[in-house]
Amino acid sequence: MSLFKARDWWSTILGDKEEFDQGCLCLANVDNSGNGQDKIIVGSFMGYLRIFSPHPAKTGDGAQAEDLLLEVDLRDPVLQVEVGKFVSGTEMLHLAVLHSRKLCVYSVSGTLGNVEHGNQYQMKLMYEHNLQRTACNMTYGSFGGIKGRDLICIQSMDGMLMVFEQESYAFGRFLPGFLLPGPLAYSSRTDSFITVSSCRQVESYKYQVLAFATDADKRQETEQQKLGSGKRLVVDWTLNIGEQALDICIVSFNQSASSVFVLGERNFFCLKDNGQIRFMKKLDWSPSCFLPYCSVSEGTINTLIANHNNMLHIYQDVTLKWATQLPHIPVAVRVGCLHDLKGVIVTLSDDGHLQCSYLGTDPSLFQAPNVESRELNYDELDVEMKELQKIIKDVNKSQGVWPMTEREDDLNVSVVVSPNFDSVSQATDVEVGTDLVPSVTVKVTLQNRVILQKAKLSVYVQPPLELTCDQFTFEFMTPDLTRTVSFSVYLKRSYTPSELEGNAVVSYSRPTGIPRVIQCKFRLPLKLICLPGQPSKTASHKITIDTNKSPVSLLSLFPGFASQSDDDQVNVMGFHFLGGARVTLLASKTSQRYRIQSEQFEDLWLITNELILRLQEYFEKQGVKDFACSFSGSMPLQEYFELIDHHFELRINGEKLEELLSERAVQFRAIQRRLLARFKDKTPAPLQHLDTLLDGTYKQVIALADAVEENQGNLFQSFTRLKSATHLVILLIGLWQKLSADQVAILEAAFLPLQEDTQELGWEETVDAAISHLLKTCLSKSSKEQALNLNSQLNIPKDTSQLKKHITLLCDRLAKGGRLCLSTDAAAPQTMVMPGGCTTIPESDLEERSVEQDSTELFTNHRHLSAETPRPEVSPLQGVSE
């Protein structure tokens, strides 16, 4: 153990083949934490920014995962990082990152974690400045003697000093006689910038002189400056050092004096405020970086100087006090307080070796190992490992990633929907054609067991249903409290919702701080959106549901919708939705079938679903357990595809309108700029009909904005109708193939992945990707289909032909015995049961085209099912319509 070797306290290697320089390292309390501990900020020429907070368990440990607070890819090379008061209105520290063509200021903040995963850190962009010239380096300080904030000065590669007053650009000045950029520093005591020019002399420029000199954008030739075209940029003092400088640092003894330290290629200089040499030291080796800091002795300064011989020298003025060896050649060195350890030396090499070290030695704590060691039985270890893995796998299957707990012990939620309408309707601002829109009251009751603070209740219903209030906040300061809230639900717009199911979600935090969420679903009555109507004998769209039990009187199933009490009409009933749609329900007198018919395909969904639910409830009350529904007709895919095409057409129209609106907005701003230039001109000039063009463009912008808003409303309504039709298709597929609840849930996840439809992520591309995944996994026939990779990016398709082809193929494979599952064995090719006369599932596009032609015969237009489809028995519904 060498006394003159830096003791490794913590170290790591950054990235892979990344490069660093002297401006890429900074130590500061960048997240403004209360303990005041410094963080290590490192930027690389590859564009990566990393923030470390080392916490080694013991001296010499490498970097752990929790030591890296933040890692961000900024995509531009990082030239320099600094921390200061760069944001106006606050004295909090912020991070400034200098790129070659951009200056960015970020806010770094941390969030306390509730569980063992630790704290979370994030970096938010406060502002940025795009630079007109390529940057070299920067410095910061309280330019002009301002208090409580820092300004930034950037030196460009062509010799321009650009000053930024936080969020705004102040001015830019060119340095006289400039050739190549050198190091730059700011002296707060003299309010001046100090640099080393290509003439190998140290130069100082007052900030006030820079501020009042000729603007860089209006720089004239030297002869014109002599004629008095503006104040020349005059240097305050110069000192010829005879060599190029590597770095400049300014250290203050006290309020009355400061020193300027310049590290040359072979010498080390210390200058006074006025440029006079305080002392200098000739170096016998080639230095790489340095860092002056205040010494313990009065009137002296310590300096860390690293060289290319892997050595770090500590000087007190010109006297060498210590020399220690490093494992790499540093390009930047800093000293800070890390993990309550003061004076930690942080070094960074050009290839990414980051090390925190200290000087001196460690006491030897070596203990001789125990000689006796038993031999390991690897067979027993293997058996034990397999048993533990099996236990872990079983727990994950039964409970998931998080352990299941009894959340009802903390809070119980119940919802009660009133069976009657409100005496005074709470519907406001409705767009429904009827005179009076009813509303129904829903009561939510919460009962807690423990103390809960800020429990938030959110209620959601399917549009166009509307709530009088959808957000509530509760404070349970004592256990066993009961809180009840009431709100009303009504239909706001003139179309039918896709579901009558609502959802009440309560989010809260347990006393331990762990967040919890409880949801309780409730079902709204059908009469909220529907009235009794006159049955219709003819309709464009019809579906027939088969059952295995005798038909039930519709008056007993729908007691609130009986328009007539005639016994001859017990098997037919009409429904009139508040949005205007009409649906007719017929029950066969002699067979076990029910027919639902309407003029719009999507309007069949709610009545069909309500019929099946009420039949199940009816037979459950009768004690019948083997009741089942089925669908034996052809799948109505053609009507479904028409709704898909209509929805997709509205999406395309929306994109075209938004592009046209963007073009007109750009044109409007261009005309405004030209008019403003004309009005500012001292010599009046004709407008050349620019005002007329501005007025016409303004009218076009308003008209296009109205068209975009109208198209968005139509698109939202079309998406609601498409969801209703999708629910109906999933229901018919489940009844047709007798799918289990898990298989129906897979279909719902594939066909209904979105609650809202947007231009960025639409229904068509999302559903197409989900169905393609099912066709290539659980519904695949061969390993060739499983080998095909799906596109990772979802973009709006050119048309809906591919989606319709995949939906048809999905139904075809289900008809041939396909099985829906998401287990790990779904990747194995399945042996499908082929009914008589069925062709094999295609493995290429050419075969898919032939299947499409065959499928069009299988999934025909289902507008007059009973009249067109031949059956072995006489249709019982023919007597219903007579």
Side-chain angles (χ1 to χ4, degrees):
M1 180 182 296
S2 173
L3 180 65
F4 301 103
K5 188 175 182 180
R7 307 306 304 158
D8 183 9
W9 181 67
W10 178 89
S11 62
T12 184
I13 298 178
L14 306 178
D16 183 20
K17 297 181 180 179
E18 296 187 41
E19 296 182 6
F20 304 82
D21 206 352
Q22 63 181 7
C24 297
L25 177 64
C26 180
L27 261 70
N29 184 18
V30 67
D31 60 341
N32 300 279
S33 61
N35 54 18
Q37 300 293 323
D38 291 337
K39 312 297 184 297
I40 304 176
I41 304 106
V42 185
S44 73
F45 288 167
M46 297 295 291
Y48 288 95
L49 182 72
R50 301 175 177 91
I51 300 179
F52 293 92
S53 178
H55 294 80
K58 61 180 180 179
T59 300
D61 279 358
Q64 303 297 322
E66 57 268 20
D67 294 342
L68 180 60
L69 304 184
L70 193 64
E71 182 176 10
V72 183
D73 184 8
L74 301 179
R75 302 186 180 278
D76 292 322
V78 177
L79 304 182
Q80 192 172 346
V81 290
E82 297 291 348
V83 175
K85 303 172 183 178
F86 300 134
V87 177
S88 61
T90 178
E91 294 191 4
M92 304 286 285
L93 296 179
H94 290 77
L95 175 63
V97 181
L98 178 65
H99 303 285
S100 58
R101 284 282 184 170
K102 185 168 57 175
L103 171 67
C104 301
V105 175
Y106 298 92
S107 170
V108 179
S109 60
T111 304
L112 294 177
N114 290 327
V115 290
E116 64 271 15
H117 299 308
N119 304 337
Q120 298 178 358
Y121 287 82
Q122 60 182 356
M123 194 168 69
K124 178 182 179 182
L125 178 65
M126 304 303 294
Y127 63 87
E128 67 177 11
H129 294 291
N130 293 317
L131 307 178
Q132 301 298 324
R133 290 173 167 81
T134 303
C136 176
N137 51 25
M138 69 174 176
T139 185
Y140 71 97
S142 54
F143 305 162
I146 59 175
K147 302 295 183 182
R149 57 178 180 155
D150 293 327
L151 278 62
I152 299 176
C153 178
I154 300 176
Q155 180 181 208
S156 66
M157 297 296 292
D158 57 353
M160 181 180 177
L161 296 183
M162 296 170 284
V163 178
F164 295 89
E165 293 184 0
Q166 296 183 337
E167 289 88 350
S168 60
Y169 171 73
F171 58 86
R173 303 289 184 265
F174 280 96
L175 297 178
F178 183 89
L179 181 61
L180 293 174
L184 180 67
Y186 172 73
S187 174
S188 59
R189 209 186 74 82
T190 60
D191 194 24
S192 57
F193 297 98
I194 301 172
T195 184
V196 178
S197 67
S198 301
C199 301
R200 298 185 175 182
Q201 61 182 11
V202 183
E203 298 178 352
S204 175
Y205 297 92
K206 291 283 188 180
Y207 176 77
Q208 297 296 333
V209 176
L210 286 171
F212 291 99
T214 304
D215 194 276
D217 297 332
K218 302 176 181 178
R219 184 175 62 163
Q220 307 292 329
E221 296 295 331
T222 306
E223 292 298 327
Q224 274 190 315
Q225 291 182 1
K226 292 180 180 179
L227 295 177
S229 61
K231 290 188 178 181
R232 294 183 57 190
L233 183 56
V234 181
V235 65
D236 186 27
W237 54 261
T238 62
L239 175 67
N240 193 341
I241 60 175
E243 62 182 342
Q244 187 59 42
L246 300 180
D247 199 1
I248 296 178
C249 281
I250 298 174
V251 178
S252 297
F253 290 101
N254 46 50
Q255 296 296 330
S256 61
S258 63
S259 296
V260 179
F261 288 82
V262 181
L263 181 64
E265 296 174 332
R266 285 295 178 180
N267 295 279
F268 169 59
F269 302 89
C270 178
L271 312 179
K272 297 181 181 179
D273 291 335
N274 56 3
Q276 297 179 358
I277 296 180
R278 187 187 299 271
F279 63 82
M280 67 173 289
K281 173 69 177 178
K282 181 176 176 60
L283 305 176
D284 298 330
W285 23 260
S286 176
S288 60
C289 60
F290 85 130
L291 177 69
Y293 62 98
C294 293
S295 173
V296 179
S297 302
E298 183 70 24
T300 62
I301 290 183
N302 288 354
T303 308
L304 299 174
I305 304 179
N307 59 31
H308 287 84
N309 297 328
N310 293 20
M311 296 295 293
L312 181 68
H313 294 259
I314 295 92
Y315 287 89
Q316 189 177 55
D317 288 348
V318 295
T319 304
L320 179 63
K321 290 295 184 179
W322 196 271
T324 183
Q325 188 176 7
L326 297 173
H328 55 264
I329 301 174
V331 294
V333 58
R334 300 289 186 271
V335 175
C337 176
L338 301 174
H339 196 48
D340 296 330
L341 183 63
K342 298 181 180 179
V344 178
I345 301 173
V346 182
T347 55
L348 175 67
S349 68
D350 60 348
D351 57 353
H353 287 263
L354 180 65
Q355 177 176 326
C356 300
S357 56
Y358 57 93
L359 307 180
T361 61
D362 290 330
S364 178
L365 302 176
F366 176 77
Q367 294 181 355
N370 190 3
V371 179
E372 296 181 1
S373 60
R374 62 185 182 89
E375 296 183 358
L376 299 177
N377 190 337
Y378 292 100
D379 294 334
E380 293 180 358
L381 292 178
D382 289 339
V383 173
E384 184 180 1
M385 177 63 72
K386 290 179 180 179
E387 292 178 354
L388 294 176
Q389 288 178 345
K390 183 180 179 182
I391 294 174
I392 294 173
K393 187 176 181 181
D394 294 340
V395 170
N396 289 337
K397 280 185 177 180
S398 60
Q399 296 185 354
V401 178
W402 296 100
M404 300 297 291
T405 58
E406 294 293 335
R407 305 178 199 170
E408 290 76 15
D409 293 344
D410 296 334
L411 187 66
N412 292 327
V413 181
S414 60
V415 181
V416 176
V417 181
S418 175
N420 302 319
F421 290 148
D422 297 337
S423 58
V424 178
S425 177
Q426 302 298 317
T428 57
D429 299 332
V430 294
E431 302 173 7
V432 184
T434 56
D435 296 334
L436 182 61
V437 176
S439 63
V440 67
T441 299
V442 180
K443 292 184 179 180
V444 181
T445 303
L446 289 80
Q447 185 177 7
N448 67 313
R449 186 184 61 86
V450 296
I451 297 176
L452 302 175
Q453 295 182 357
K454 293 183 180 180
K456 296 182 180 180
L457 169 64
S458 301
V459 186
Y460 177 78
V461 293
Q462 292 290 336
L465 293 174
E466 191 75 16
L467 299 167
T468 54
C469 184
D470 59 354
Q471 298 287 338
F472 304 90
T473 304
F474 304 93
E475 294 285 347
F476 295 99
M477 304 306 297
T478 58
D480 298 326
L481 288 180
T482 301
R483 299 291 175 85
T484 302
V485 294
S486 300
F487 51 89
S488 296
V489 187
Y490 60 91
L491 185 69
K492 187 170 184 178
R493 293 180 177 84
S494 59
Y495 56 95
T496 307
S498 60
E499 285 184 279
L500 290 176
E501 190 177 73
N503 198 7
V505 180
V506 182
S507 60
Y508 65 94
S509 295
R510 301 188 68 186
T512 57
I514 300 177
R516 292 293 189 191
V517 176
I518 297 178
Q519 68 173 357
C520 181
K521 295 185 178 181
F522 57 93
R523 184 166 184 81
L524 298 171
L526 179 63
K527 61 182 180 180
L528 181 64
I529 62 169
C530 186
L531 299 174
Q534 188 67 27
S536 176
K537 294 185 179 181
T538 59
S540 301
H541 303 276
K542 304 175 184 178
I543 59 173
T544 302
I545 303 298
D546 299 332
T547 63
N548 59 350
K549 300 297 178 182
S550 301
V552 182
S553 172
L554 298 182
L555 293 177
S556 59
L557 290 178
F558 299 90
F561 291 89
S563 58
Q564 297 180 7
S565 59
D566 191 359
D567 295 339
D568 295 336
Q569 298 297 328
V570 294
N571 63 336
V572 60
M573 186 170 289
F575 300 89
H576 181 204
F577 288 103
L578 296 182
R582 294 181 180 273
V583 180
T584 302
L585 174 61
L586 302 96
S588 174
K589 294 181 179 179
T590 57
S591 67
Q592 305 165 355
R593 294 176 181 172
Y594 301 86
R595 173 181 290 175
I596 307 96
Q597 58 188 25
S598 176
E599 293 296 329
Q600 300 294 332
F601 174 69
E602 63 274 11
D603 294 332
L604 300 173
W605 152 244
L606 284 179
I607 302 300
T608 305
N609 186 49
E610 196 75 21
L611 171 66
I612 295 177
L613 290 178
R614 297 197 181 199
L615 283 173
Q616 292 174 349
E617 293 176 359
Y618 175 82
F619 284 107
E620 283 180 2
K621 292 179 181 179
Q622 299 295 327
V624 179
K625 298 182 179 180
D626 59 343
F627 172 75
C629 296
S630 61
F631 177 72
S632 58
S634 301
M635 289 299 300
L637 292 185
Q638 190 60 38
E639 296 90 333
Y640 185 48
F641 291 159
E642 291 176 0
L643 290 172
I644 294 176
D645 291 336
H646 178 64
H647 175 264
F648 184 74
E649 181 182 355
L650 289 176
R651 286 188 63 193
I652 297 299
N653 291 340
E655 277 197 344
K656 293 179 180 178
L657 288 174
E658 289 180 0
E659 291 178 1
L660 199 57
L661 179 61
S662 178
E663 293 176 0
R664 291 297 179 269
V666 171
Q667 176 180 325
F668 185 73
R669 289 191 293 267
I671 298 172
Q672 281 183 321
R673 286 194 296 268
R674 291 203 175 187
L675 275 176
L676 185 61
R678 293 289 177 91
F679 291 147
K680 284 185 176 181
D681 196 355
K682 295 181 180 180
T683 59
L687 297 180
Q688 297 179 346
H689 301 290
L690 282 176
D691 53 344
T692 306
L693 186 59
L694 181 70
D695 183 64
T697 306
Y698 173 75
K699 292 179 180 178
Q700 290 182 1
V701 169
I702 295 300
L704 286 173
D706 293 339
V708 169
E709 187 176 4
E710 181 183 359
N711 187 82
Q712 287 177 349
N714 295 334
L715 181 62
F716 189 81
Q717 182 175 347
S718 175
F719 184 60
T720 304
R721 298 181 185 277
L722 180 59
K723 286 198 294 184
S724 298
T726 304
H727 278 295
L728 180 59
V729 169
I730 294 174
L731 175 65
L732 295 181
I733 292 177
L735 298 178
W736 173 44
Q737 291 298 318
K738 296 180 176 57
L739 301 181
S740 62
D742 293 338
Q743 292 176 315
V744 173
I746 295 174
L747 277 182
E748 290 179 349
F751 279 88
L752 296 168
L754 302 175
Q755 287 293 337
E756 294 183 2
D757 192 40
T758 60
Q759 292 290 352
E760 293 78 12
L761 183 62
W763 182 86
E764 285 80 7
E765 56 266 27
T766 310
V767 172
D768 190 24
I771 295 177
S772 299
H773 175 74
L774 292 178
L775 293 175
K776 290 175 172 58
T777 53
C778 59
L779 294 180
S780 64
K781 181 187 175 185
S782 62
S783 58
K784 294 181 181 179
E785 293 181 350
Q786 298 173 13
L788 297 177
N789 294 324
L790 297 177
N791 189 8
S792 59
Q793 295 183 353
L794 296 181
N795 300 319
I796 183 170
K798 296 181 180 179
D799 52 37
T800 59
S801 59
Q802 188 78 7
L803 172 62
K804 292 188 288 188
K805 180 175 68 174
H806 287 161
I807 294 176
T808 305
L809 191 58
L810 173 72
C811 296
D812 181 62
R813 295 195 178 182
L814 288 175
K816 295 176 180 177
R819 182 172 61 91
L820 291 170
C821 62
L822 295 178
S823 59
T824 55
D825 58 346
Q830 301 179 19
T831 304
M832 298 186 180
V833 180
M834 298 293 178
C838 290
T839 58
T840 58
I841 296 178
E843 299 181 5
S844 64
D845 292 340
L846 294 176
E847 293 183 43
E848 279 193 3
R849 293 171 187 167
S850 62
V851 167
E852 281 186 348
Q853 298 173 359
D854 297 338
S855 301
T856 53
E857 301 176 0
L858 177 61
F859 309 110
T860 56
N861 192 334
H862 191 57
R863 296 178 183 268
H864 301 283
L865 179 63
S866 300
E868 297 179 2
T869 307
R871 299 187 180 275
E873 60 181 5
V874 180
S875 175
L877 296 179
Q878 293 177 353
V880 173
S881 59
E882 294 177 356

